[in-house]
Amino acid sequence: MTDKDDEKYVRWFDQIDSGDTAEVGGKNASLGEMIKTLKEQQIRVPDGFATTAAAYRTYLTANDLDEAIRSRIDEFHAGEKSLGDLGREVRQIIEDGEIPDEIAHSIRRAYRELSRRHDVAQVDVAARSSATAEDLPEASFAGQQESYLNISGEDALLRACKRCFASLFTNRAIAYREEKGFNHLEVALSVGVQKMVRSDRAGAGVLFTLDTDSGFPDVVLINAAWGLGEVVVQGTVNPDQYLVYKPFLDREGIDPIIGKTKGLKDRKIVYAHGGDEPTREEETSEEERRSYVLSEDEIIRLARWSVSIEEHYGTPMDIEWAKDGDDGEIHIVQARPETVESRKTGSMLKTFTLKETGERLVSGVAVGQGIAVGEVQVLESAREIGRFKDGGVLVTGRTDPDWVPIMKRAAAIVTERGGRTSHAAIVSRELGIPALVGAGGATTKLKDGRSVTVSCAEGDEGYVYDGELAYEERDVDLGELPETRTRIMLNIAAPKGAMRWWRLPTAGVGLARMEYLINNVIQVHPLALTRFDELEDEEARRTIDELTYGYEDRTDYFVEHLARGIATIAASQYPREVIVRMSDFKTNEYADLIGGRQFEPLEENPMLGWRGASRYYSEHYSDGFALECRAIRHVRNGMGFRNVIIMIPFCRTPAEADRVLEVLKENGLERGRDGLQVYVMAEIPSNVLEAGAFAQRFDGFSIGSNDLTQLVLGISRDSEQLSELFDESDASVKRMIRMLIEDAHKAGLKVGICGEAPSNDPTFAAFLVEAGIDSISLSPDSVVDVLDTIAAFERG
């Protein structure tokens, strides 16, 4: 045979590009495209070759399979054969065929050449199926066919090729083509034969060049686990997750990693030695479970490569990567267009709001932004499809493509394992249904037939609530929202929530609450880290040791997690303003943090006690406040988010303001330096009565209407007996607000409001506009209603 004869059946990756999809499928065409065009950017793609569509069709013809397959498809369409029977029979007759000599010789010759290039007798390869209609933006066939890993030897490769040919007729692939209207016999199968990356000795994963839940385009989302990458794709493990801010990737001296979460990673797939299967699954070591898969340099390198790939293709991308444990190098092993968020129209926003609360049964990583109700149906296997009732809540360990027919009938999906790039997460987004992944214990805690509400509309974490709770669903056309003279901003707590609302036409974040990150992400009292040697609670010491594993200095754990959470919020709005309120826990709330009780006094009325500004300069807490300052300093100077403004809560007197400003300066946060602005909360009558003096010390005011109402009316915010009297619209409260706005404007300062009042009562928002307020910060789900009210009022 000549090289020309070989080209009929085999094409090397460096001979093909994205124009060859009809010949080698989308997956292989993409590999060739990257090898040919991205070499100059040092993006590594493992070498290999692809069998052609001609090889597949010649195989069918040589074994007289076309008519045999067509007749079985006709029987299926006539209702004489089930989907399962059709798939099983067609796969069997394809696998039973013999590869024609001319095709076998071409594959053998290519395999020998690939082995020679890597200076081994028999190179280990992956055999990956690539359908000739797959990985197109309008029809993603990803995951419909099979891949076979750690294939070594010519005979083993030929057997793997036949199995790949047969996988064109997996049940899920047949169902998918039926749904999309593809003719089964017009689609061909190319096998990509690619040098294996020894990620079984390192790690692998998946990345997307946008946020997969919100469509926010300025980040790279990377998932990583130990061993071969199938554990991430299949959702077998809860992987590490890294988030990188694309616009800052090439800024000198800037840390662009805005998110870094350690996954459990309790299983991995490695090479098998002996036996029938080339790979096996095993438990990870304790060291692996407690460590990150990628270093920060590797995270940044992957992000840069992914941006280059996205720019080359001109569309957001879904990319698989692997790290070789032998040489430590990272490789791109697949790249395809992202087919869910990138195809949504930018002007429409669907919002969900939970109208009541209930008992939380389980929690997990929220995928999508929806809410659904239904009866729990716990399934162990996709073979139990017959007992699944339409509209149920599917609960299982994990899903793979065999589950898709069931997932399409579910109201929501809950899996015990998996991350944001697992199969369950990707399919649920494509189907537009909410999902919780990594919800540990779900299959035992949720009982068949129990009515539940699945909510993914509350930030990073999703919940399964007992019972059917009321919720609201709305479709908002952002292009029709009115413009207002009054600046509208957002109140944000959870970083993931910030990205969820990035499309809203707002002027930034008027209140980013630090407490959410400390309470839900960090969990540890700051002084239990700065004064760890003094900590007496042995259980707390053990927990802190576990949480801070890998940190030479335990305080770095606090600073890093706080900084990255704030940076995610800042990134969602950059370059618009993001006002971050320094911590305002009360002593009882601080005491509930891990290791906190030892460091907090017992107060009869914590609401009026040691909180806010008074803690920052106190010898009893100043080293804890220093950690907050380190985090803010890193966000602004180390990560480049100069759009962050800091705000001081519960500052009682101008003299106290001076002490706080001095402490900030001592901690590297000098007002005015590098453009740093410092605002003050206006939530105490003294802030209003001494507005002129406070205006000399700060750059702006933000009204905290809840505390201001509490202190003007003398009513505790927590008093159930007096709740009917607690009214932000009371005349005395409104008078205080008018006074503040007038005096602040005389001093040349702007005034905003970040309290709940305008979110809860649009008429209160109208009052604020009439009083001349400069900005109103709202809970995101109230923006649309309040915008309409304000626009109407401004029009008169």
Side-chain angles (χ1 to χ4, degrees):
M1 291 181 64
T2 67
D3 290 343
K4 194 68 177 175
D5 292 325
D6 282 345
E7 285 185 14
K8 180 178 179 182
Y9 302 120
V10 169
R11 299 284 302 279
W12 288 92
F13 287 156
D14 61 8
Q15 298 174 333
I16 56 181
D17 55 34
S18 56
D20 293 309
T21 298
E23 187 175 3
V24 296
K27 188 181 301 179
N28 291 331
S30 179
L31 289 170
E33 179 78 15
M34 288 189 292
I35 287 175
K36 289 177 70 173
T37 60
L38 298 175
K39 275 185 178 178
E40 293 181 0
Q41 300 180 49
Q42 282 76 51
I43 297 175
R44 296 182 185 86
V45 180
D47 196 9
F49 58 90
T51 67
T52 63
Y56 170 78
R57 294 191 171 105
T58 300
Y59 177 85
L60 294 189
T61 301
N63 289 279
D64 295 322
L65 297 180
D66 295 88
E67 187 54 41
I69 295 172
R70 181 179 290 107
S71 65
R72 285 167 172 78
I73 293 172
D74 290 343
E75 290 172 358
F76 169 68
H77 287 157
E80 300 170 5
K81 195 181 293 294
S82 69
L83 173 64
D85 289 339
L86 170 63
R88 183 170 52 255
E89 291 179 19
V90 173
R91 289 193 299 274
Q92 191 61 59
I93 63 173
I94 292 177
E95 284 197 49
D96 286 344
E98 293 294 330
I99 297 181
D101 288 344
E102 64 270 28
I103 298 176
H105 289 323
S106 295
I107 294 173
R108 288 179 188 275
R109 280 161 57 95
Y111 177 76
R112 289 171 197 157
E113 171 61 18
L114 187 62
S115 298
R116 186 195 64 77
R117 292 181 182 183
H118 291 277
D119 199 26
V120 293
Q122 294 184 333
V123 65
D124 51 336
V125 296
R128 305 180 188 274
S129 302
S130 181
T132 57
E134 76 173 345
D135 295 337
L136 305 177
E138 66 275 11
S140 173
F141 279 59
Q144 301 301 317
Q145 284 81 44
E146 302 292 355
S147 294
Y148 299 95
L149 307 178
N150 187 23
I151 305 301
S152 182
E154 296 174 21
D155 292 341
L157 176 57
L158 291 174
R159 287 193 297 271
C161 286
K162 287 205 297 182
R163 295 174 72 184
C164 285
F165 287 165
S167 76
L168 189 60
F169 287 89
T170 59
N171 296 353
R172 55 189 180 266
I174 296 170
Y176 197 87
R177 288 195 295 271
E178 287 285 316
E179 179 185 344
K180 298 295 183 182
F182 285 88
N183 185 315
H184 298 284
L185 291 173
E186 288 183 1
V187 178
L189 196 289
S190 167
V191 182
V193 180
Q194 187 177 38
K195 168 70 174 72
M196 278 291 292
V197 176
R198 289 306 302 264
S199 60
D200 62 310
R201 296 174 176 168
V206 177
L207 68 82
F208 288 83
T209 59
L210 47 59
D211 179 63
T212 52
D213 282 339
S214 66
F216 182 58
D218 288 342
V219 293
V220 176
L221 173 69
I222 304 172
N223 275 186
W226 298 112
L228 302 179
E230 271 59 26
V231 291
V232 178
V233 177
Q234 296 170 2
T236 306
V237 302
N238 300 336
D240 290 347
Q241 178 172 296
Y242 317 118
L243 200 64
V244 185
Y245 188 57
K246 291 192 288 191
F248 288 178
L249 263 172
D250 293 320
R251 286 199 180 185
E252 186 90 24
I254 292 298
D255 172 13
I257 303 172
I258 60 175
K260 193 176 175 188
T261 304
K262 195 179 297 178
L264 179 60
K265 310 182 297 292
D266 56 343
R267 311 287 298 174
K268 65 178 179 179
I269 296 176
V270 298
Y271 279 21
H273 301 286
D276 296 331
E277 294 298 328
T279 63
R280 61 184 173 85
E281 189 175 293
E282 66 179 25
E283 291 186 359
T284 53
S285 67
E286 182 179 357
E287 174 73 13
E288 287 172 323
R289 290 192 291 273
R290 299 172 72 182
S291 302
Y292 288 110
V293 174
L294 294 177
S295 69
E296 293 190 3
D297 285 344
E298 289 169 335
I299 293 168
I300 293 171
R301 188 187 320 151
L302 256 182
R304 284 179 174 149
W305 285 3
S306 70
V307 169
S308 295
I309 294 169
E310 178 183 54
E311 289 175 349
H312 176 74
Y313 283 93
T315 186
M317 298 295 289
D318 168 358
I319 298 169
E320 293 183 29
W321 61 271
K323 179 181 176 181
D324 194 305
D326 290 341
D327 60 17
E329 298 292 354
I330 295 175
H331 302 261
I332 301 299
V333 295
Q334 284 189 41
R336 63 177 70 90
E338 194 275 341
T339 58
V340 180
E341 287 296 333
S342 58
R343 295 184 61 77
K344 291 182 179 178
T345 59
S347 63
M348 296 302 297
L349 180 68
K350 184 181 287 290
T351 68
F352 292 82
T353 306
L354 202 60
K355 308 301 285 187
E356 55 183 331
T357 60
E359 178 190 355
R360 288 176 176 174
L361 303 176
V362 298
S363 63
V365 176
V367 177
Q369 301 167 13
I371 298 174
V373 300
E375 290 187 1
V376 170
Q377 296 182 52
V378 182
L379 302 185
E380 293 185 5
S381 166
R383 291 189 295 272
E384 298 179 88
I385 186 171
R387 73 179 187 86
F388 188 81
K389 299 176 183 177
D390 289 356
V393 174
L394 171 62
V395 180
T396 190
R398 66 177 180 87
T399 68
D400 59 34
D402 287 333
W403 287 85
V404 172
I406 300 176
M407 298 167 80
K408 289 179 178 179
R409 296 162 53 193
I413 299 165
V414 180
T415 65
E416 290 191 316
R417 298 185 293 281
R420 293 193 187 279
T421 57
S422 65
H423 177 268
I426 292 170
V427 172
S428 67
R429 282 192 291 268
E430 185 171 340
L431 296 175
I433 59 177
L436 263 63
V437 296
T443 58
T444 54
K445 295 176 183 177
L446 301 177
K447 304 300 182 184
D448 268 344
R450 186 172 194 166
S451 293
V452 297
T453 300
V454 178
S455 173
C456 295
E458 301 171 70
D460 296 8
E461 200 163 14
Y463 305 98
V464 178
Y465 291 94
D466 188 23
E468 297 189 2
L469 305 182
Y471 67 93
E472 181 182 56
E473 177 181 350
R474 298 178 65 184
D475 288 307
V476 178
D477 187 341
L478 299 178
E480 295 183 358
L481 293 180
E483 294 186 4
T484 60
R485 294 190 300 274
T486 307
R487 298 169 73 233
I488 303 302
M489 304 180 79
L490 297 174
N491 292 338
I492 293 290
K496 194 68 180 178
M499 284 197 290
R500 176 186 174 194
W501 300 104
W502 70 275
R503 286 189 174 95
L504 284 175
T506 54
V509 172
L511 174 64
R513 300 181 183 91
M514 191 177 284
E515 294 82 19
Y516 175 91
L517 290 164
I518 296 174
N519 193 46
N520 294 280
V521 178
I522 298 168
Q523 304 177 58
V524 181
H525 193 289
L527 300 188
L529 297 170
T530 62
R531 308 178 192 180
F532 183 79
D533 291 342
E534 302 173 20
L535 187 58
E536 299 167 359
D537 185 334
E538 289 301 323
E539 183 179 351
R541 291 176 70 93
R542 286 192 296 272
T543 302
I544 292 171
D545 274 337
E546 182 66 29
L547 288 171
T548 60
Y549 178 82
Y551 291 89
E552 291 186 16
D553 184 338
R554 291 183 181 87
T555 64
D556 291 343
Y557 165 81
F558 185 99
V559 173
E560 178 182 309
H561 283 79
L562 183 57
R564 289 197 162 124
I566 292 170
T568 300
I569 297 173
S572 73
Q573 296 290 320
Y574 189 83
R576 297 184 292 275
E577 292 178 356
V578 170
I579 302 172
V580 178
R581 186 178 68 187
M582 306 304 280
S583 65
D584 191 27
F585 277 130
K586 290 58 171 184
T587 51
N588 59 320
E589 295 168 334
Y590 266 120
D592 286 339
L593 295 171
I594 296 169
R597 298 206 176 279
Q598 178 178 334
F599 302 104
E600 294 298 326
L602 187 63
E603 295 184 309
E604 287 190 14
N605 190 350
M607 192 72 74
L608 298 181
W610 192 37
R611 58 176 287 198
S614 61
R615 297 181 70 99
Y616 304 161
Y617 55 84
S618 167
E619 65 178 12
H620 300 296
Y621 185 74
S622 58
D623 48 333
F625 182 64
L627 300 187
E628 298 178 29
C629 294
R630 277 175 55 193
I632 293 291
R633 197 167 65 242
H634 183 61
V635 170
R636 285 182 49 84
N637 300 333
M639 304 178 83
F641 292 104
R642 293 285 174 83
N643 58 325
V644 168
I645 295 168
I646 60 176
M647 183 158 65
I648 305 302
F650 228 78
C651 187
R652 292 173 169 92
T653 66
E656 186 170 63
D658 290 335
R659 299 184 72 177
V660 170
L661 290 170
E662 185 61 32
V663 170
L664 286 173
K665 183 177 179 180
E666 291 170 0
N667 283 284
L669 294 175
E670 182 179 357
R671 179 187 167 217
R673 185 174 181 179
D674 297 321
L676 176 64
Q677 296 185 63
V678 183
Y679 283 24
V680 66
M681 292 284 289
E683 51 194 342
I684 307 170
S686 62
N687 300 141
V688 179
L689 297 173
E690 295 292 329
F694 280 103
Q696 295 174 18
R697 293 161 170 83
F698 293 101
D699 299 292
F701 292 92
S702 184
I703 299 166
S705 57
N706 289 342
D707 271 323
L708 186 61
T709 302
Q710 172 180 245
L711 295 172
V712 169
L713 298 181
I715 299 172
S716 171
R717 291 165 50 180
D718 298 332
S719 174
E720 294 183 11
Q721 290 85 355
L722 299 177
S723 60
E724 292 184 4
L725 295 176
F726 192 92
D727 182 10
E728 295 98 331
S729 296
D730 185 271
S732 56
V733 179
K734 286 185 172 181
R735 185 176 180 186
M736 295 291 278
I737 291 173
R738 286 186 186 275
M739 289 171 58
L740 176 71
I741 293 172
E742 290 173 3
D743 289 350
H745 284 176
K746 287 178 184 176
L749 267 62
K750 293 181 179 179
V751 180
I753 186 168
C754 59
E756 294 298 317
S759 296
N760 298 332
D761 181 6
T763 61
F764 189 82
F767 153 71
L768 293 169
V769 174
E770 186 270 331
I773 198 132
D774 298 289
S775 65
I776 298 175
S777 193
L778 303 165
S779 59
D781 56 3
S782 67
V783 166
V784 174
D785 289 337
V786 177
L787 263 177
D788 288 337
T789 299
I790 292 175
F793 185 85
E794 289 179 348
R795 287 194 301 267

